[in-house]
Amino acid sequence: MLDPRTAHLLHVEDDDICQMMLSREFKKAKIANPISGACDGIDALEMLRGTNGRERLSRPFLILLDLNMPRMNGIEFLKELRQDEDLKKSIVFVLTTSDSDEDKVEAYNLGVAGYILKSNPANAFLEATALLDTYWRVVEFPAA
Amino acid sequence: MVGGVDSTRSGIERDLAYTSGVVNGTREPASLAGDIRRFSTADWILAGTALFIICNGMSVCIGWWVRIPILVQLFPDAPTHFNTALIFILLAAGELGLVLRRRGVVIAMAIAVTGLASAELAEYALRMNLGIDTLFAVPFVGQNALFPGRMSGNTIACFLLICGAQVLMSKPDRGGGAATAAAVILKSLAGGIAIIAMLGYVVGLKSAYGWTDSVGMSIRSCAGVLLIFIATIAALWQRDIVDKPSLPNWFLPFLTISVVTISISLIWIFASPVARPFMLDPLYAASAHRVSLAIALSVGTLIFLGTISVLVAGHKAVMARVSEQSLRVAQARLKSTLEVSAVGTWTWDLASDRLIGDEFTARMFSIAASAAAEGLPAAAYLQVVHEEDRKDVADALERAIQLCGAYDIEYRVRQDAGAFRWLQARGRVESDGAGRAAYFHGAVIDINDRKLSELSLRDKNQQLERSNRDLEDFAYIASHDLRTPLNGINSTALCLEEDLHDSLSDESRKLLGLMRNRINHMETLLEDLLTYSRVGRTDTTVSETKLADIFDSIIEVLHPPAHIQVRVEGELPMIATASTQLEQVLRNLIDNAVKHHDKQSGEVVLSGRRVGDFVELVVRDDGPGILPQFHDKIFQLFQTLKRRADRKGTGMGLAIVKRLVERQNCRITVHSQGDGTGTQFRFKWPTLPSTRGAAETTNA
C-alpha cells in the first residue's frame, strides 16, 4: 500500500523557478514527502532506473511531468516509460503550459492519471499540491 | 483560310461533291425526297417544264382515246398524233430523270424513244406500214392524210436529237464538259428545227414544217420541242452562268447554232417563192431584195445575240474584278488587324498533313514565310514547341481531332535567340460531309507579356503567402516562448512578495507593485499578440446562427457595468458564417465601447441588416467619441489613445477586429466627431445564402 508519508515525488521540469515554486507550496502545505527534480526526460529516466551513477529513486513514487523540455520532452519520456517493464505502471500527472488538444490526447493515450494546465502561475502549483495531497491520501494502490 | 474565299456553292460544285461522294462510296442512300431537297433553281426549271409537257401529252392521249378534237389539234390538218404525245411523255420523263440524277431512268426512256422513233423512221425509209401509227389509238381526225397517225419527219428528227442530248447529259460527270456542250448542240438543232417549223406556220410555208409527204409537225410538237430546248438552255444558264465569272464552254456552240439556225431559217423562208402575201409586194418581188432582207435580218440577229453575249461576258468580268477588288481590300484589312493584335492564323489539311500558316505564325515559329505559305507537315511546327509543352500540345491536338471539336492551349515556342515566347493557340476542327475530321483552322496569339506578368504575379503571391505564414508562425512561437520566462518572473515576484511581506518598506512595496503591474501588462500583451497571430486560424466552420444568440453569449461573458446599457436595436438577421470569428469581432467592439465610456450612464447598441450577400452591422455608443485625425491610428497594432496610466487595454482589440474583417474581404469604418457625441463602427460581413449555408454545414 502506498504510504502517503513515504511516497516520493519526482518533478520532471526544466524550469528551475517552477521546481522552486512547487517546493514552496509543499512547504506551505506542510507536506513532508521528499521531492526530487529532474530537468528533462533523460535525467528523469536515469533517476528512475538508477543508471549513469545516479541513485535509484526510492519506491513508491509519483511523477509530475512537464511537457516542453529540451533533449527529451514529456511525451517522448512517457513513451519510454510505458515501454519499460519496470516503470510502465508508474502514475504520472502532467503539469504544463501547453493547451494544445494534440498534447492532451497524446498524454491520455499514454495513460496519464491527469492533465493539469499551468494557467495562472500563482494558483497553479497551489492547486497541484492540493490535488496530490488529496490523491495519495484517498486513492488506493496495488501492493506491488 | 489564308487567301481563299469560298463562293456560294453553285449547282456544279454540289454535283461534283455529290459525284465525289458516289466515287468515294460515301454517298447517302438514294432517296427521292433527298434529291428533291437538293434541287437548285436550274433543276426546278427543268422539272417544271417536264411536268408541263407530261400533262400536255396526257391530255393529247386522253383526247385520242375519248375522241375530243380540241385536245388533239389546234390547226386543221396538223393534229398531234398519239405516238408523238407518247414520245413527248417519255422525253419529259427522261428530263425528270436527268434532274433527279437517275441515269437508269434516262437510259430507259431514251431506249423507248429511240425504238419508237426508229420504227417510224423505218416506215418512211422502207415505205411500208408497220402498223405502229395506229397501235395505240385510231385516228379520227386528219384521216385524209396519206398515212394517218404517222409522225412527221421533223418531229422524229427532233425527238432523236433531244433523246441523244439527254443521254449525253446523263453522264455522271455533269460539269461544263464536252458532253454538256454536245448535248447543247443537239438540243439547239432540235430547237432550230422547231423554230423553222413555227415560222413556216406563220408564213404558211408547208415545206418548213413538213419535210415529207406526211402531215407536218404540229404546232404542239413545235411548242413542246421549243419548250424543252428553252428550258434546258435556261437551266444551264442559271446553273453555269449566273454565278460564274466566265462563260462555260457550251455557250459559244449554243450561240453559233442558234444564230446559224435562225439565219438559215430566215433566209429560207424569205427566199421561198411561196412566202407570205406581203412578200409578193412588187417592192419585194426581186429575190435580191428578199435575200438582202434575209441577210440583214440574220446579221441583225447575229449582232443582237452577239451583243448579249459580249455584255454578259463583260458584266461577268467586271463583277469578277469588283469582287476580286473587294476581296483584296478585305484581305488587306484582315491582315493589318491581325498584325496589330499579334494574332496569326493557320490551316491544317489533315488528309495531306499540310499546315499552312500566315506570316505572323511563320515568324512565331521561326519558319520561312514562303515555306509556311506553301504548307509544311505539322511536325515541323511541333518541333519548335518547348520540350516540356510538346506532349500536352500533341495530346490536345489529338483530342480535338478525335472529337471534331475545339482546341485551346497555351505553350512556349523556342525563338531563334534561344529564348522562348508564350503563345496561346485556339482552333477548331472542320469535318467533311461524312463526319470525319478534314481541316483544322486556328489562330495563334502572342501572349508572352501577359503570361510573364501572370507568372511573376503568381510567384509574388506565393512569396507573400509564405512570408505571411512565416509571420504568423513567428508571432505564435514568439508569444509562446516569451511567456515562459515571463511566468518565471511573475512567480519569483510573487514569492518575493510573500516572503518579504512584513519586512518591506512602503517604497519597496510600491516598487514591487509596479513590477507586478508591468508583468501583468506584458502577459496581457503576449496573450493579445497570440490572439492576433491566430486570427483566422481558429474555428472557420460555417454555421447558420442567429446574431441575437451571438450577442447574448457576448453579454454573458462581458458582464457590462450597470451604468452602461448594452442592447440590440431592431431585428438581427439570421446569417450563415464562421460564427466564432464574427463573435470575436463583436466582442472586441462592444468591449471597447464599454471600456472607454466616460459618462455616468450610456448605451452601446448593436444593429444589423441584410444587404444582398452581406450583413451590415453597426456598433454605436454615446461615449467620448474618437477625433477624426485618429480614425486610422486606432486600428493599428498596440495603439491606444490614452495615457499609460489610464490605459485599460493593450490596444490590440481593434487591430484584431480589423484583421478579422479584412480577412473576409470587407472593410470596417469608424464614424465619430470625437466631441462626446459617441462613435459608430460600421462593417460588412459576408453571409452565405441560406440554402448554401445549410449545405455547407451538412458537408462540413
Side-chain angles (χ1 to χ4, degrees), chain B residues 16 39 119 336 403 445 510:
Chain B
L16 284 176
F39 270 14
S336 71
L403 302 173
I445 308 168
K510 199 164 89 170

Side-chain angles (χ1 to χ4, degrees), chain B residues 29-62:
Chain B
S31 75
L32 200 63
D35 287 335
I36 291 180
R37 247 182 281 124
R38 273 198 288 264
F39 270 14
S40 62
T41 321
D43 293 331
W44 279 116
I45 294 174
L46 286 172
T49 317
L51 286 171
F52 175 74
I53 291 175
I54 288 178
C55 294
N56 215 8
M58 294 301 308
S59 74
V60 169
C61 296
I62 291 170

Side-chain angles (χ1 to χ4, degrees), chain B residues 23 28 86 123 179 192 201 271 276 323 482 492 609 621 638 695:
Chain B
V23 167
E28 281 174 35
L86 183 64
E123 284 190 330
Y201 273 111
R276 261 273 176 95
S323 62
L482 287 172
T492 324
R609 66 194 176 109
D621 65 69
F638 297 129

Side-chain angles (χ1 to χ4, degrees), chain A residues 15 17 20-21 24-25 28 68 97-100 118-122 125, chain B residues 476 480 484-485 487-492 494-496 498-499 516 523 534:
Chain A
D15 188 343
I17 294 185
M20 181 200 76
M21 294 294 291
R24 280 175 66 101
E25 292 299 331
K28 277 201 286 197
N68 293 328
T97 50
S98 166
D99 193 10
S100 98
K118 265 191 287 189
S119 50
N120 187 341
F125 294 105
Chain B
Y476 184 85
H480 222 264
T484 320
N487 283 341
I489 297 172
N490 206 14
S491 309
T492 324
L494 263 173
C495 295
L496 269 177
E498 260 179 27
D499 292 347
R516 293 285 313 284
E523 254 179 2
R534 270 174 164 178

Side-chain angles (χ1 to χ4, degrees), chain B residues 349-543:
Chain B
D349 181 343
L350 292 166
S352 55
D353 191 15
R354 267 179 59 226
L355 215 170
I356 300 177
D358 68 357
E359 269 179 48
F360 185 83
T361 311
R363 208 172 348 130
M364 283 292 115
F365 282 82
S366 311
I367 292 176
S370 50
E374 250 182 59
L376 293 168
Y381 286 85
L382 209 59
Q383 216 173 304
V384 187
V385 173
H386 197 284
E387 303 87 51
E388 292 169 18
D389 300 329
R390 219 174 277 167
K391 184 167 188 309
D392 291 328
V393 173
D395 285 344
L397 286 169
E398 190 59 45
R399 225 176 307 133
I401 294 174
Q402 295 276 4
L403 302 173
C404 269
Y407 159 78
D408 185 348
I409 190 172
E410 293 180 357
Y411 55 83
R412 288 160 286 181
V413 282
R414 290 226 162 270
Q415 301 275 277
D416 280 333
F420 53 83
R421 275 189 101 76
W422 278 94
L423 296 178
Q424 181 182 22
R426 303 172 99 149
R428 181 168 278 280
V429 170
E430 182 187 311
S431 53
D432 60 12
R436 285 192 302 237
Y439 288 98
F440 208 142
H441 308 291
V444 285
I445 308 168
D446 183 354
I447 54 164
N448 201 44
D449 296 332
R450 191 205 348 130
K451 190 74 180 179
L452 288 179
S453 65
E454 207 178 278
L455 287 174
S456 110
L457 199 69
R458 191 153 29 108
D459 277 341
K460 292 212 177 74
N461 250 5
Q462 280 174 351
Q463 272 178 20
L464 202 67
E465 272 179 26
R466 225 176 303 136
S467 82
N468 260 355
R469 260 201 311 274
D470 287 344
L471 210 64
E472 277 181 16
D473 287 343
F474 171 75
Y476 184 85
I477 292 168
S479 78
H480 222 264
D481 286 348
L482 287 172
R483 280 165 121 203
T484 320
L486 192 65
N487 283 341
I489 297 172
N490 206 14
S491 309
T492 324
L494 263 173
C495 295
L496 269 177
E497 236 185 27
E498 260 179 27
D499 292 347
L500 301 171
H501 185 81
D502 298 319
S503 51
L504 270 180
S505 69
D506 279 340
E507 180 75 24
S508 307
R509 226 193 302 272
K510 199 164 89 170
L511 282 169
L512 261 179
L514 280 171
M515 192 168 97
R516 293 285 313 284
N517 180 278
R518 292 302 184 274
I519 292 173
N520 283 336
H521 186 74
M522 183 151 172
E523 254 179 2
T524 325
L525 264 175
L526 283 174
E527 202 171 295
D528 280 351
L529 190 64
L530 192 64
T531 314
Y532 182 80
S533 78
R534 270 174 164 178
V535 152
R537 280 239 228 126
T538 51
D539 193 12
T540 49
T541 51
V542 174
S543 56

Side-chain angles (χ1 to χ4, degrees), chain B residues 589 616-620 626 631-632 634-635 654 657-658 661-662 666-672 679-684:
Chain B
L589 285 173
E616 199 181 69
L617 293 160
V618 182
V619 175
R620 73 176 158 84
I626 304 169
H631 282 187
D632 283 326
I634 54 169
F635 288 109
L654 285 179
V657 160
K658 181 161 185 265
V661 170
E662 282 177 357
C666 296
R667 273 181 59 236
I668 178 164
T669 50
V670 55
H671 307 264
S672 176
T679 319
Q680 258 192 41
F681 282 94
R682 287 173 176 280
F683 65 99
K684 279 205 177 120

